[in-house]
Amino acid sequence: DIQMTQSPSSLSASVGDRVTITCRASQDISKYLNWYQQRPGKAPKLLIYDASNLEVGVPSRFSGRRSGTDFTFTISSLQPEDIATYYCQQYDDLPYTFGQGTKLEIK
Amino acid sequence: EVQLVESGGGLVQPGGSLRLSCAASGFTFSDYWMHWVRQAPGKGLVWVSRINNDGSTTTYADSVKGRLTISRDNAKNTLYLQMSSLRAEDTAVYYCVREHMTPGLDSSYYFDSWGQGTLVTVSS
């Protein structure tokens, strides 16, 4: 199975801060990585697909990029409604696997 | 509007069985591959199973193979997960998930719609 190592596991930041989360794949997965947001008590929501493509309707403060097997997810200016847990997910091979999640809190 | 509504969760004893259902609406159900993803209390997301659009092909995580069975009824727009020989470690919220595939040579695949989830608790 492809392992997705996500860091950090938790993060505390202030409104307006730039926030970055990293996901590293255990092998080459090309661009086949998606990012999801899960607000407390809710189902996950797709934010970014194929490493860097913003889903329709998702604010432009969210972005993603790929460098080899390292993927970064960035919120350019943190907003209060961004409080959530964020997950990366690879679909290069079955079983699809998720990162462990990053819980984002407001300072 | 796309809607996925799960039902059938509840408390079951170890070794018991349960059938989850997911009623789909707002899209042509038979056009999409569907998945189940689960989340144990306070834990992360884990992919469980998938089924192709006509139900002829299924795939499972090793941890559930032989115990959980995914199926669908396209006439009823419903996805199922038959669960048997349940274990404590199967306790989780189970999400019904639609997979979107973009057309073209280098298709993108992503989970674009999720149900609200149904909780399965395996305990004596």
Side-chain angles (χ1 to χ4, degrees):
Chain A
D1 297 2
I2 297 173
Q3 306 302 317
M4 303 303 300
T5 304
Q6 189 174 337
S7 62
S9 57
S10 64
L11 179 56
S12 182
S14 300
V15 172
D17 282 355
R18 182 181 184 88
V19 169
T20 298
I21 297 168
T22 298
C23 216
R24 173 169 290 174
S26 60
Q27 64 189 66
D28 181 19
I29 60 169
S30 187
K31 62 176 181 176
Y32 305 134
L33 181 111
N34 304 321
W35 289 96
Y36 299 87
Q37 175 193 65
Q38 186 177 32
R39 293 190 170 115
K42 300 295 185 182
K45 172 189 172 184
L46 175 72
L47 297 181
I48 289 172
Y49 64 94
D50 282 356
S52 60
N53 293 308
L54 201 63
E55 169 70 335
V56 172
V58 173
S60 60
R61 65 179 180 274
F62 296 102
S63 65
R65 62 180 294 176
R66 173 200 172 200
S67 177
T69 58
D70 291 339
F71 298 82
T72 55
F73 171 83
T74 298
I75 306 174
S76 60
S77 179
L78 186 66
Q79 300 301 304
E81 60 266 31
D82 299 336
I83 296 312
T85 301
Y86 293 85
Y87 295 92
C88 62
Q89 173 245 329
Q90 67 80 22
Y91 68 90
D92 180 64
D93 195 15
L94 286 169
Y96 291 170
T97 46
F98 292 86
Q100 303 95 316
T102 297
K103 186 174 183 179
L104 182 53
E105 298 175 331
I106 297 283
K107 271 185 192 173
Chain B
E1 179 195 4
V2 173
Q3 280 202 318
L4 298 169
V5 180
E6 300 96 335
S7 60
L11 175 63
V12 60
Q13 292 188 340
S17 299
L18 210 56
R19 188 177 84 158
L20 307 184
S21 300
C22 170
S25 60
F27 65 103
T28 304
F29 182 66
S30 58
D31 284 349
Y32 289 84
W33 292 49
M34 298 295 295
H35 297 246
W36 289 97
V37 173
R38 71 184 182 184
Q39 186 171 37
K43 302 297 184 182
L45 302 168
V46 177
W47 176 82
V48 172
S49 181
R50 77 170 183 184
I51 187 167
N52 71 337
N53 60 316
D54 67 8
S56 61
T57 301
T58 58
T59 315
Y60 299 92
D62 285 346
S63 60
V64 306
K65 207 170 290 183
R67 302 186 301 115
L68 274 56
T69 303
I70 191 172
S71 63
R72 64 192 296 161
D73 185 336
N74 285 344
K76 295 182 177 179
N77 292 335
T78 303
L79 177 72
Y80 301 101
L81 187 66
Q82 179 67 48
M83 313 173 75
S84 61
S85 302
L86 283 164
R87 307 167 181 167
E89 54 265 36
D90 295 318
T91 294
V93 172
Y94 285 74
Y95 292 102
C96 166
V97 186
R98 187 180 83 166
E99 181 176 59
H100 181 88
M101 183 192 77
T102 60
L105 287 175
D106 188 18
S107 296
S108 303
Y109 296 80
Y110 46 84
F111 297 148
D112 69 342
S113 296
W114 298 64
Q116 85 287 351
T118 187
L119 176 62
V120 173
T121 303
V122 184
S123 175
S124 54

